[in-house]
Amino acid sequence: MGHRVLDVRAAANRYAAQLQQCFRPDCAASYTLARTVHANMKTSGFRPRGHIINRLIDIYCKSSNLVYARHLFDDIPEPDVVARTTLIAAYSASGEILLARKTFDDTPMSIRDCVIYNALITGYSHNNDGHNAVKLFREMKLHGLRPDEFSFTSALGALASIAEWECQCQQFHCAAVKSGTSNITSVSNALLSVYVKCASSPLESSSTLMNSARRLFDEMNRRDELTWTTMIAGFVRNSDLEGAREFLDQMDVKLGVSWNAMISGYVHHGRSEEALELFRKMHSLEIYMDEFALTSAISACANAGLLEHGKQIHAYALKTEKNPSPDFSLSVNNALITLYYRFGNIHLARKVFDRMPERDHISWNAVLSGYASSGQIEEARAFFAEMPERSLLAWTVIISALAQNGSGEEALKLFNQMRLEGFDPCDYTFAGAITSCAVLGSHEHGRQLHGQIMKLGHDTSLSVGNALITMYARCGTVDDSYNVFLTIPYIDSISWNAMIAAFGQHGQGSRAVDLFEEMLRADIVPDRISFLTVLSACGHAGLVDEGRRYFNSMQIFGISPGEDHYARLVDLLCRAGKFQEAKDVIDSMPSVPGPPIWEAFLAGCRIHNNMDLGVQAAEKLLELIPQHDGTYVLLSNIYANAGKWKEVAEVRKLMRERGVKKEPGCSWIEVESMVHVFLVDDSAHPEVKEVYNYLEQLVIKMKKLGYMPDTKFVLHEMESQEHKERALSTHSEKLAVVYGLMKLPQGATVRVFKNLRICGDCHNAFKFMSRVVGREIVVRDGKRFHHFRNEECSCGNFW
């Protein structure tokens, strides 16, 4: 009998020693060895006792084979607290917190100890369930168990994520002092973390809580790297960079992680120069600069516009890190991609991306954003198609890029595809879709999206609100734009600019000026875009005095007029026929006038039929941008109005010789969620015959009211008056308007969109047409909106 006991004991010791060898860094090897030892036990008939079974369970858990661990656990008649604790910790680590809780609840109260409570508290904390962690800590105390330093460290870690009141911090602080654990560094560090994170709560004063953290810091007997870093990060998090820097300068030991926190704080608060200065100091002190330091420094270069500095840091990283870890490479390369694309060097960004050994969604999204922001839409499309996984951000970027570059229809298709693939749009994605509706002039689709936005609660979003203002304005319903402007909870300078631009585009120059003045009274500082919008509004409404005054006031706000501002002023003066003053403005420019200036001048000459000055402006443009079709068209129109058909022919011949093609005019209208497109002299639309017939009937009624076709807008030489009138009747905007009158419900507003400037005869015709049919007709051309009501237009014939 004695020999048998000795044999069993020897076997137990042998198996225990073998299992001890199974604890290896390679989890797969550990599992394989443990399974081999376990199988040997079974075949030899050895019946392991508790400590060996617990070791097996521990190995299975650490190698992530929880199924085997659970089978072994279930075979034990009465598992002890060690086995239960091991399983709870394993479930918690794998995110199976409900199974961990069930195992805990199945544990008899009589065998529960502090360690098993700590395992589940830690599990709740690591799974971001602070409330249950704190609740379990309190239950442990109620059951008479004395928390140790691990209990406090885990519970405080959980509390840091949910604490909003100072009293919560103080209660745990008092409990730690009473337990005698407050002097243990890990507990003190956890308390510091609670104080500094609670300081970010809007319900408490950050300075009061940071002062409490400072007192605790001063009372600590021993401080480690985490102590200093927690304090510095706490001050940074609460926007006290001076307090953080004071702590950093007090440190005897130069800890890289603390310096990283300080540099990151400077970057996030827009103090890039100070971040780079500290980075240089870090280098001179020979403090190791890891991926966090390098990433922050590269971001500082991107924010401060220091491309060459960024390149130097790139070179330093390549030189010092011969065999970088995957984490190092990933974070640094992602920052480099952002740096290069912000400076328009998307080819360098792509080069970094292509050489990356590993990529994540940030890498892919950064390159996609680079292509989108640089206007390389074809490349963005192709890159988006390559993406192995598409995040909501990726969808948002491509949808917004397509919308902003005129591909509204494709953007809406992708928006719908995104939803079919299970993504819920965020406010920025909705903003991109709304912008697409603005591009297409799809009022009905835009209204439907607005309804969905309100239902989902995104109507309070500033980006959505600004997109809606622009969408309604570009779809012809400026009053809806103003309603959105008045109802969104917060507006910024973009909102004001969008609304001022909307009034201007719709010929409501006085309202635009009034709103600009209201913006100034609201202490919103106008930017360069604000002045562009108000100058455009003055130009569309003929408000010459106001336009001059606003242009001259730009210097008061520290804004130097750019060429685009000068172009708006020249446009304003030329529209008013003040050509000499416009020439004086051009002569006073600090730089050589470019195409926008001469385009504005030429357009004014076209309005007032000033052929001599128009030819001079056109000659300037033909030198600067010889491939731009608009110059040839305007010059040809000026000659045609003057009846100089030989010169018209010469202009057209020059276009052919240079390979310049005129953009074909087209107009479109949305009827019952379908967009109908018409070209000049259209014969392709299935109902075009009915359109021509109805137009003839309308023209008869219009002539009775005094309408006479203005044949000077026939830009081809024709002998017959009848042929000239026929040519005018085939203009695309007339066909689209008439189709809308035929198909839309009685009394409904007709909204038509045209890619080019509206024809003068069509403009006159629509005034008479609006009176004949008793309906409002809205036409958006390439420059502005025209609202025709009862023989009047909102532009006041100043267009």
Side-chain angles (χ1 to χ4, degrees):
M1 185 71 177
H3 287 295
R4 187 177 177 188
V5 170
L6 290 173
D7 290 342
V8 171
R9 186 175 297 165
N13 291 336
R14 185 176 71 255
Y15 285 127
Q18 290 174 347
L19 289 175
Q20 187 64 35
Q21 296 297 316
C22 294
F23 288 96
R24 299 185 174 191
D26 185 350
C27 292
S30 297
Y31 168 69
T32 302
L33 288 171
R35 286 285 291 164
T36 302
V37 174
H38 193 184
N40 189 269
M41 289 181 196
K42 289 184 176 182
T43 56
S44 67
F46 177 76
R47 300 182 65 182
R49 294 198 176 183
H51 70 287
I52 291 181
I53 293 175
N54 289 347
R55 282 196 182 185
L56 276 169
I57 292 174
D58 190 25
I59 294 169
Y60 289 152
C61 287
K62 286 177 178 174
S63 57
S64 301
N65 286 280
L66 294 183
V67 174
Y68 284 100
R70 185 73 205 198
H71 284 323
L72 193 56
F73 178 86
D74 290 338
D75 287 340
I76 306 172
E78 293 183 8
D80 61 15
V81 71
V82 175
R84 295 175 186 274
T85 303
T86 301
L87 202 59
I88 289 169
Y91 279 138
S92 299
S94 64
E96 299 283 358
I97 195 66
L98 293 178
L99 291 175
R101 181 70 203 216
K102 185 176 185 310
T103 306
F104 177 85
D105 290 339
D106 291 341
T107 303
M109 186 63 68
S110 59
I111 67 169
R112 291 184 190 176
D113 58 9
C114 183
V115 178
I116 195 170
Y117 272 95
N118 290 349
L120 189 55
I121 292 170
T122 303
Y124 278 129
S125 180
H126 289 171
N127 284 276
N128 301 313
D129 190 349
H131 292 287
N132 271 322
V134 172
K135 182 181 178 182
L136 190 63
F137 177 84
R138 289 175 175 151
E139 284 178 11
M140 178 175 68
K141 292 181 67 179
L142 287 174
H143 289 303
L145 290 170
R146 183 183 179 87
D148 58 14
E149 65 267 29
F150 301 106
S151 313
F152 274 101
T153 303
S154 295
L156 287 166
L159 180 65
S161 65
I162 61 170
E164 292 185 320
W165 300 98
E166 186 180 3
C167 62
Q168 295 171 308
C169 308
Q170 292 173 337
Q171 288 171 359
F172 264 83
H173 194 165
C174 291
V177 170
K178 288 180 182 179
S179 71
T181 62
S182 62
N183 291 326
I184 298 172
T185 304
S186 62
V187 176
S188 297
N189 284 343
L191 276 168
L192 282 178
S193 182
V194 171
Y195 275 120
V196 301
K197 288 183 179 177
C198 190
S200 302
S201 168
L203 305 175
E204 289 289 352
S205 165
S206 63
S207 59
T208 301
L209 283 158
M210 287 308 297
N211 286 336
S212 298
R214 178 63 188 262
R215 283 194 299 272
L216 174 60
F217 174 89
D218 292 337
E219 293 168 0
M220 290 177 66
N221 296 324
R222 183 178 175 276
R223 306 179 185 114
D224 60 11
E225 183 175 333
L226 181 59
T227 314
W228 289 96
T229 305
T230 300
M231 289 300 297
I232 292 170
F235 280 115
V236 168
R237 183 172 180 171
N238 289 283
S239 303
D240 184 359
L241 297 185
E242 281 65 36
R245 185 59 185 266
E246 179 187 345
F247 261 78
L248 185 74
D249 292 340
Q250 288 176 8
M251 291 175 61
D252 295 327
V253 181
K254 304 304 181 184
L255 302 171
V257 67
S258 302
W259 285 63
N260 291 348
M262 189 72 245
I263 293 171
S264 177
Y266 279 138
V267 173
H268 289 151
H269 286 82
R271 293 164 65 168
S272 299
E273 291 183 5
E274 289 163 283
L276 291 171
E277 178 192 349
L278 195 60
F279 179 79
R280 282 190 289 268
K281 188 174 181 181
M282 191 177 180
H283 178 256
S284 66
L285 293 171
E286 296 184 348
I287 302 171
Y288 173 65
M289 289 181 287
D290 60 12
E291 64 268 29
F292 301 105
L294 291 167
T295 299
S296 292
I298 294 166
S299 297
C301 293
N303 296 339
L306 301 171
L307 175 60
E308 291 306 314
H309 284 70
K311 286 182 175 180
Q312 290 172 14
I313 296 172
H314 187 181
Y316 173 82
L318 292 173
K319 182 179 178 181
T320 55
E321 293 290 332
K322 299 297 184 184
N323 296 299
S325 67
D327 288 341
F328 183 98
S329 296
L330 189 61
S331 59
V332 172
N333 283 325
N334 284 346
L336 285 169
I337 291 171
T338 302
L339 168 78
Y340 288 131
Y341 91 64
R342 280 197 186 177
F343 286 92
N345 293 327
I346 184 61
H347 64 286
L348 287 179
R350 182 62 190 263
K351 201 171 181 179
V352 172
F353 176 86
D354 289 339
R355 291 179 177 177
M356 289 174 69
E358 291 186 17
R359 302 161 184 152
D360 61 5
H361 69 279
I362 297 174
S363 320
W364 287 90
N365 289 341
V367 175
L368 180 65
S369 298
Y371 280 131
S373 62
S374 63
Q376 298 185 43
I377 302 305
E378 290 304 319
E379 291 80 358
R381 282 192 185 101
F383 191 77
F384 181 77
E386 290 177 26
M387 295 180 75
E389 291 184 15
R390 296 165 183 168
S391 64
L392 179 60
L393 176 59
W395 285 100
T396 302
V397 168
I398 192 65
I399 289 168
S400 299
L402 289 168
Q404 291 165 8
N405 285 273
S407 299
E409 186 174 354
E410 185 179 355
L412 286 176
K413 285 179 180 177
L414 281 179
F415 180 78
N416 293 331
Q417 182 184 338
M418 179 196 75
R419 301 183 84 170
L420 288 173
E421 292 187 16
F423 287 91
D424 292 325
C426 66
D427 54 340
Y428 294 107
T429 322
F430 269 116
I434 294 164
T435 301
S436 303
C437 295
V439 170
L440 296 170
S442 182
H443 182 251
E444 187 57 37
H445 199 159
R447 286 186 60 201
Q448 290 173 8
L449 285 173
H450 192 177
Q452 294 172 30
I453 286 163
M454 295 181 69
K455 185 177 179 180
L456 294 170
H458 291 310
D459 52 318
T460 59
S461 165
L462 181 59
S463 59
V464 166
N466 290 340
L468 284 169
I469 291 171
T470 301
M471 184 274 292
Y472 280 124
R474 293 196 66 183
C475 289
T477 56
V478 69
D479 289 339
D480 288 338
S481 292
Y482 194 51
N483 287 335
V484 173
F485 178 81
L486 293 175
T487 54
I488 53 178
Y490 172 76
I491 53 178
D492 61 2
S493 60
I494 297 174
S495 317
W496 289 93
N497 293 344
M499 197 63 240
I500 293 167
F503 282 140
Q505 289 170 349
H506 286 265
Q508 300 183 26
S510 296
R511 291 185 76 182
V513 167
D514 290 344
L515 192 62
F516 184 81
E517 295 293 338
E518 185 182 337
M519 181 178 77
L520 297 180
R521 290 192 295 273
D523 293 326
I524 304 296
V525 179
D527 55 21
R528 64 184 316 279
I529 303 299
S530 308
F531 282 103
L532 283 174
T533 56
V534 77
L535 286 170
S536 293
C538 292
H540 286 311
L543 304 175
V544 177
D545 293 338
E546 291 85 346
R548 283 199 204 98
R549 177 163 56 86
Y550 288 132
F551 183 86
N552 294 329
S553 71
M554 290 178 65
Q555 299 286 355
I556 298 173
F557 296 96
I559 302 172
S560 298
E563 186 178 47
D564 45 3
H565 296 98
Y566 278 100
R568 297 294 197 282
L569 181 60
V570 169
D571 180 66
L572 167 68
L573 295 171
C574 289
R575 284 175 182 273
K578 299 181 180 294
F579 291 103
Q580 186 56 51
E581 186 177 350
K583 289 185 72 177
D584 292 341
V585 168
I586 294 172
D587 292 339
S588 71
M589 288 178 62
S591 59
V592 177
I597 302 297
W598 295 114
E599 284 177 342
F601 199 91
L602 179 58
C605 293
R606 166 70 176 85
I607 293 169
H608 293 280
N609 296 317
N610 191 325
M611 188 176 70
D612 292 337
L613 290 177
V615 170
Q616 293 177 28
E619 288 175 349
K620 293 282 188 181
L621 283 169
L622 291 174
E623 290 176 11
L624 294 169
I625 45 174
Q627 296 303 116
H628 182 55
D629 67 325
T631 305
Y632 299 91
V633 171
L634 284 174
L635 181 59
S636 175
N637 290 350
I638 290 174
Y639 282 137
N641 280 335
K644 294 183 174 294
W645 300 109
K646 179 182 177 182
E647 286 78 357
V648 170
E650 288 176 353
V651 172
R652 290 176 178 166
K653 179 184 176 184
L654 184 62
M655 287 182 71
R656 288 192 298 271
E657 290 174 350
R658 293 183 175 180
V660 179
K661 292 185 178 181
K662 176 182 177 294
E663 180 184 0
C666 69
S667 302
W668 62 97
I669 182 171
E670 185 180 15
V671 176
E672 295 181 353
S673 299
M674 284 188 62
V675 176
H676 297 262
V677 180
F678 292 88
L679 302 175
V680 64
D681 198 19
D682 201 311
S683 60
H685 193 280
E687 296 177 84
V688 73
K689 289 184 179 179
E690 291 86 344
V691 170
Y692 283 128
N693 290 336
Y694 187 40
L695 176 58
E696 286 181 10
Q697 298 171 29
L698 288 175
V699 168
I700 293 171
K701 296 178 182 178
M702 289 156 56
K703 285 183 176 180
K704 289 180 180 179
L705 296 176
Y707 166 69
M708 287 297 296
D710 194 342
T711 55
K712 72 179 181 183
F713 290 100
V714 177
L715 303 178
H716 296 273
E717 190 173 11
M718 294 181 181
E719 295 182 0
S720 165
Q721 177 73 13
E722 182 181 346
H723 286 164
K724 290 180 179 179
E725 290 188 16
R726 168 64 186 168
L728 291 174
S729 69
T730 65
H731 284 191
S732 66
E733 57 264 54
K734 279 196 182 83
L735 302 180
V737 167
V738 171
Y739 186 77
L741 293 172
M742 289 170 51
K743 294 296 182 179
L744 291 173
Q746 188 68 32
T749 299
V750 176
R751 294 185 178 86
V752 166
F753 305 88
K754 185 179 181 182
N755 62 332
L756 304 178
R757 190 171 178 268
I758 189 174
C759 158
D761 175 70
C762 290
H763 186 271
N764 190 38
F766 292 149
K767 290 194 292 184
F768 285 94
M769 199 177 291
S770 67
R771 183 176 174 187
V772 168
V773 297
R775 294 162 75 169
E776 180 181 6
I777 298 170
V778 179
V779 178
R780 185 186 89 187
D781 66 12
K783 294 289 183 181
R784 60 174 298 160
F785 277 89
H786 300 267
H787 293 253
F788 301 95
R789 296 188 191 94
N790 197 27
E791 215 172 317
E792 296 290 339
C793 179
S794 59
C795 72
N797 294 327
F798 193 86
W799 58 284

